[in-house]
């Protein structure tokens, strides 16, 4: 007996790809929706651009979906455009599924719920640790548009829902725009090959403050648990590993993992986007030397997004008391999540 029929929206991304694999291994029938077909073993590919209302309806017609796991987004030049585009994607999806077998919808957003959108990042007055009960930050935010669209469809169609709010997801994914783990592995590999010191690119605040992160498997576990636990339905949950750390220690441990000289944290940020501006040719040479499977560094590293995470001038810690109170007790050590990812990247010849 299969647990249900899941539609993972964004099946080629860091969150959706890891979730699809987890659900498939856990006994679900899994359809993976993306703009380009997923090639994951055991995942049934569905190809559609959610901004195309007609194509979305055609792609989903007659599929026996019981659970939707929404793990995608699209970036535009302004937050107003982000709201319009991402809201339309969610609306088109849920309208295409109306009248079907949908029992539950799970939405992945993140800590910009508390910090504000890309345009007004850090403008929120929410104090740490962030709690799910905190009011929305003033201003436009496409996370809120996604929530509101889902809430309205849930009232219209009678399905239950959950919102999951991870903080910087660590996991295996290639060609993803929000991938700190692979980005840092590539940066460390370039430092190793070129003899550059392993220099923290972010702010003194991030270097010294406590913070937390989310392993992709931790997020997948919580999403399945919430979707299949009636008492946890119609709730928002923060989703982090359960430990806290300081980058000044984690960075040293990463340097030791890769056998690197770790530089002192600079007084002012040294963004990776600037440090790695000329890295394309360097990575091609590294890939050729070590027979790596991907010679295009832009398919691996998201310098800008890692800079945004590590360059913050404010603390970011999430409270998970609510999730534990509702019964979710899984834990993941963040250092172990990083090192397991680095080991896999080496084994699959993504990094030397």
């Amino acid at each position: 007996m299969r647990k249900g029929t899941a539609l993972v929206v964004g099946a080629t991304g860091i969150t959706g790809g890891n979730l699809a694999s987890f659900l498939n291994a856990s006994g679900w029938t899994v359809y993976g929706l993306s703009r380009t077909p997923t090639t994951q073993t055991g995942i049934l590919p569905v190809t559609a651009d959610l901004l195309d209302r007609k194509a979305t309806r055609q792609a989903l017609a007659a599929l026996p979906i019981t659970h939707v796991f929404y793990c995608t987004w699209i970036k535009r030049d302004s937050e107003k455009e982000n709201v319009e585009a991402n809201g339309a994607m969610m609306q088109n999806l849920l309208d295409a599924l109306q009248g079907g077998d949908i029992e539950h919808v799970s939405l992945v957003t993140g800590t910009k719920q508390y910090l504000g959108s890309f345009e007004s990042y850090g403008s929120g007055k929410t104090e740490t640790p962030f709690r799910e009960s905190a009011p929305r930050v003033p201003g436009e935010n496409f996370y809120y548009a996604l929530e509101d669209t889902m809430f309205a469809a849930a009232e219209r169609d009678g399905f239950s829902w959950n919102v999951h709010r991870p903080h910087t997801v660590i996991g295996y994914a290639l060609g993803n725009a929000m991938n700190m783990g692979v980005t840092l592995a590539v940066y460390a590999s370039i430092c190793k090959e070129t003899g550059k010191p392993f220099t923290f690119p972010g702010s003194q605040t991030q270097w010294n403050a406590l913070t937390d992160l989310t392993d992709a498997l931790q997020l997948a576990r919580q999403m399945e648990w919430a979707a299949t636990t009636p008492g946890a339905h119609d709730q928002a949950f923060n989703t982090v590993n359960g430990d806290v750390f300081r980058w000044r220690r984690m960075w040293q441990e990463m340097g030791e993992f890769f056998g690197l000289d770790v530089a002192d944290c600079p007084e002012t940020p040294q963004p990776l986007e600037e440090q790695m501006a000329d890295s394309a040719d360097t990575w091609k040479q590294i890939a050729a030397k070590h027979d790596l499977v991907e010679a295009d560094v832009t398919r691996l590293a998201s310098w800008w997004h890692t800079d945004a995470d590590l360059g913050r001038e404010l603390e970011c810690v999430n409270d998970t008391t609510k999730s534990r109170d509702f019964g979710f007790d899984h834990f993941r050590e963040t250092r172990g999540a990083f090192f397991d990812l680095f080991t896999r990247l080496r084994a699959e010849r993504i990094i030397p």
Side-chain angles (χ1 to χ4, degrees):
M1 292 290 292
R2 308 297 282 176
K3 289 183 177 179
T5 303
L7 177 68
V8 176
V9 183
T12 57
I14 186 171
T15 297
N18 285 281
L19 173 65
S21 294
F22 175 79
L23 292 176
N24 179 56
S26 297
W28 292 71
T29 299
V30 182
Y31 288 89
L33 190 153
S34 52
R35 282 185 289 270
T36 56
T38 179
T39 57
Q40 287 191 76
T41 301
I43 310 303
L44 302 169
V46 180
T47 306
D49 180 350
L50 293 180
L51 288 172
D52 187 328
R53 187 174 178 84
K54 181 179 179 181
T56 300
R57 188 175 295 276
Q58 291 174 340
L60 297 175
L63 294 185
I65 306 300
T66 59
H67 292 70
V68 175
F69 297 89
Y70 195 92
C71 310
T72 192
W73 71 292
I74 190 167
K75 189 176 188 299
R76 293 297 193 232
D77 292 336
S78 69
E79 194 61 20
K80 183 177 186 298
E81 292 172 290
N82 282 337
V83 168
E84 292 171 352
N86 287 278
M89 288 166 62
M90 175 67 90
Q91 189 70 62
N92 291 342
L93 173 78
L94 295 179
D95 286 351
L97 294 169
Q98 186 179 12
D101 302 317
I102 300 302
E103 301 172 11
H104 189 85
V105 175
S106 301
L107 167 63
V108 177
T109 59
T111 50
K112 284 190 288 296
Q113 173 80 20
Y114 310 113
L115 294 170
S117 68
F118 285 115
E119 289 181 355
S120 56
Y121 199 67
S123 63
K125 303 301 182 183
T126 307
E127 290 189 339
T128 56
F130 301 138
R131 293 178 181 157
E132 296 89 340
S133 57
R136 289 179 172 181
V137 176
E140 293 194 284
N141 190 322
F142 79 87
Y143 284 179
Y144 306 157
L146 289 171
E147 284 188 345
D148 290 343
T149 303
M150 182 182 68
F151 296 156
E155 186 170 348
R156 178 191 71 188
D157 299 336
F159 57 76
S160 55
W161 56 268
N162 286 111
V163 179
H164 300 267
R165 298 170 182 164
H167 175 206
T168 307
V169 179
I170 309 164
Y172 183 87
L174 307 181
N176 184 263
M178 303 174 70
N179 197 333
M180 177 189 283
V182 178
T183 297
L184 292 181
V186 169
Y187 173 55
S189 299
I190 291 174
C191 290
K192 179 81 169 181
E193 198 70 22
T194 61
K196 289 169 55 73
F198 191 48
T199 303
F200 186 71
S203 68
Q204 286 277 340
T205 300
Q206 288 305 300
W207 181 253
N208 291 307
L210 287 171
T211 192
D212 52 28
L213 296 178
T214 305
D215 182 68
L217 181 58
Q218 178 80 349
L219 176 55
R221 289 183 183 279
Q222 193 201 58
M223 292 182 74
E224 184 194 37
W225 161 79
T228 56
T229 303
H233 288 174
D234 302 338
Q235 298 290 332
F237 293 111
N238 290 336
T239 316
V240 290
N241 290 337
D243 62 349
V244 293
F245 67 94
R246 299 183 201 276
W247 275 110
R248 66 191 188 206
R249 178 184 292 178
M250 184 72 75
W251 200 257
Q252 181 66 44
E253 291 170 336
M254 284 184 179
E256 292 171 359
F257 180 93
F258 285 101
L260 295 168
D261 292 327
V262 178
D264 291 334
C265 180
E267 288 296 322
T268 58
Q270 307 291 313
L272 290 174
E273 198 160 28
E274 295 177 8
Q275 288 193 53
M276 298 288 103
D278 299 320
S279 62
D281 289 340
T282 301
W283 188 255
K284 286 180 182 178
Q285 295 168 11
I286 294 172
K289 177 181 177 181
H290 296 279
D291 192 27
L292 303 182
V293 299
E294 181 55 72
D296 183 356
V297 74
T298 65
R299 289 273 302 156
L300 302 175
S302 51
W303 309 124
W304 69 273
H305 194 269
T306 298
D307 284 338
D309 279 335
L310 299 182
R312 296 190 193 110
E313 294 292 348
L314 69 166
E315 182 180 73
C316 190
V317 177
N318 293 268
D319 189 296
T320 57
T321 302
K322 179 180 178 181
S323 182
R324 292 195 301 272
D325 282 347
F326 274 77
F328 183 75
D329 57 4
H330 287 279
F331 170 88
R332 182 70 163 109
E333 185 202 28
T334 301
R335 179 179 57 177
F338 272 124
F339 291 177
D340 286 351
L341 172 62
F342 299 158
T343 300
R344 179 179 176 183
L345 293 173
R346 277 180 171 168
E348 298 193 12
R349 293 189 296 111
I350 307 298
I351 62 172

